Amino acid sequence: GAGVSQTPSNKVTEKGKYVELRCDPISGHTALYWYRQSLGQGPEFLIYFQGTGAADDSGLPNDRFFAVRPEGSVSTLKIQRTERGDSAVYLCASSLEGTSASSYNEQFFGPGTRLTVL
Amino acid sequence: AQKVTQAQTEISVVEKEDVTLDCVYETRDTTYYLFWYKQPPSGELVFLIRRNSFDEQNEISGRYSWNFQKSTSSFNFTITASQVVDSAVYFCALRGGANSKLTFGKGITLSVRP
């Protein structure tokens, strides 16, 4: 597609349930990022993939959160035993490649998945 | 550690007024990048500009201009002759060193009234 797509656009679940959020990056983009945006806040970094591997997962809040990118394209963010505090918009971004200290490739963001945990 | 501070939370102006959005950053990296993103009510983040730490030239793009000053660690954004369509949340962000992640400020909600 022309841009980053995310599904579903909205997800309502009950406390304790398991959810999966999907991100389809721009074709050819090797780097993929997940961010979480709580109400009234800026996006907060969760995890970054370069190809199939997680290059930086320092932003994952705890072990209930996990993400995969098995073929280096589509990524799935998985949240186990959801809690009300997990309610937020989950944003995905992709870029042509990862970055080095001397270069940068712009991150293009998707529309996000709004997760509501009741 | 990296930090981005957007002290203004909400700004309301009348159409055609000029408005400046402030951004102050903290980083220990000597090489870093600064960004501004716009988030309209639809929710999608729209990239506006990127600056690297070696380029302190100010930039103008139509009604938008950016003032980068390393001496005060600031990267301010000015909209000239604001329009209703400029109403959105604006985020300043920082990427430092070899890290790939962006660190965002809390955002500034700009409302432009007709």
Side-chain angles (χ1 to χ4, degrees), chain A residues 18-21 34 47 49 54 57 60-69 75-80:
Chain A
Y18 168 82
V19 296
E20 290 189 353
L21 312 179
W34 283 99
I47 187 170
F49 286 91
D57 64 359
L60 294 177
N62 52 60
D63 61 5
R64 295 187 298 107
F65 288 74
F66 189 69
V68 296
R69 196 185 184 201
S75 175
T76 305
L77 178 66
K78 307 180 180 190
I79 310 174
Q80 299 177 322

Side-chain angles (χ1 to χ4, degrees), chain A residues 10-115:
Chain A
N10 280 284
K11 175 70 177 178
V12 180
T13 190
E14 293 179 344
K15 180 175 179 293
K17 299 290 188 182
Y18 168 82
V19 296
E20 290 189 353
L21 312 179
R22 175 189 168 107
C23 172
D24 200 338
I26 293 172
S27 178
H29 281 193
T30 59
L32 186 145
Y33 308 79
W34 283 99
Y35 293 83
R36 177 169 72 174
Q37 185 175 17
S38 301
L39 191 63
Q41 303 293 317
E44 293 179 314
F45 170 78
L46 295 176
I47 187 170
Y48 153 54
F49 286 91
Q50 181 60 266
T52 60
D56 183 355
D57 64 359
S58 62
L60 294 177
N62 52 60
D63 61 5
R64 295 187 298 107
F65 288 74
F66 189 69
V68 296
R69 196 185 184 201
E71 297 178 357
S73 179
V74 171
S75 175
T76 305
L77 178 66
K78 307 180 180 190
I79 310 174
Q80 299 177 322
R81 304 183 304 279
T82 52
E83 300 177 356
R84 293 193 180 88
D86 299 335
S87 296
V89 175
Y90 289 81
L91 296 167
C92 177
S94 70
S95 67
L96 272 173
E97 58 186 67
T99 60
S100 67
S102 60
S103 68
Y104 182 82
N105 289 293
E106 179 193 338
Q107 295 182 24
F108 294 86
F109 283 81
T113 293
R114 182 176 299 279
L115 174 66

Side-chain angles (χ1 to χ4, degrees), chain B residues 7-89:
Chain B
Q8 304 152 309
T9 54
E10 294 185 21
I11 300 175
S12 181
V13 298
V14 176
E15 207 169 19
K16 298 184 182 177
E17 283 186 27
D18 299 346
V19 58
T20 295
L21 311 180
D22 299 334
C23 174
V24 174
Y25 63 91
E26 296 176 30
T27 180
R28 294 181 180 175
D29 296 303
T30 54
T31 301
Y32 53 89
Y33 296 82
L34 294 161
F35 307 82
W36 276 94
Y37 282 87
K38 175 181 180 179
Q39 189 172 46
S42 61
E44 197 154 343
L45 280 166
V46 177
F47 167 81
L48 296 177
I49 191 171
R50 173 183 75 242
R51 282 318 247 185
N52 70 48
S53 52
F54 295 103
D55 183 1
E56 286 194 71
Q57 282 190 346
N58 291 329
E59 183 159 337
I60 298 174
S61 176
R63 297 184 297 107
Y64 295 170
S65 62
W66 290 269
N67 183 354
F68 175 31
Q69 293 195 350
K70 287 180 75 171
S71 61
T72 56
S73 297
S74 66
F75 185 44
N76 297 337
F77 173 28
T78 297
I79 303 174
T80 303
S82 59
Q83 300 177 0
V84 173
V85 293
D86 295 328
S87 297
V89 182

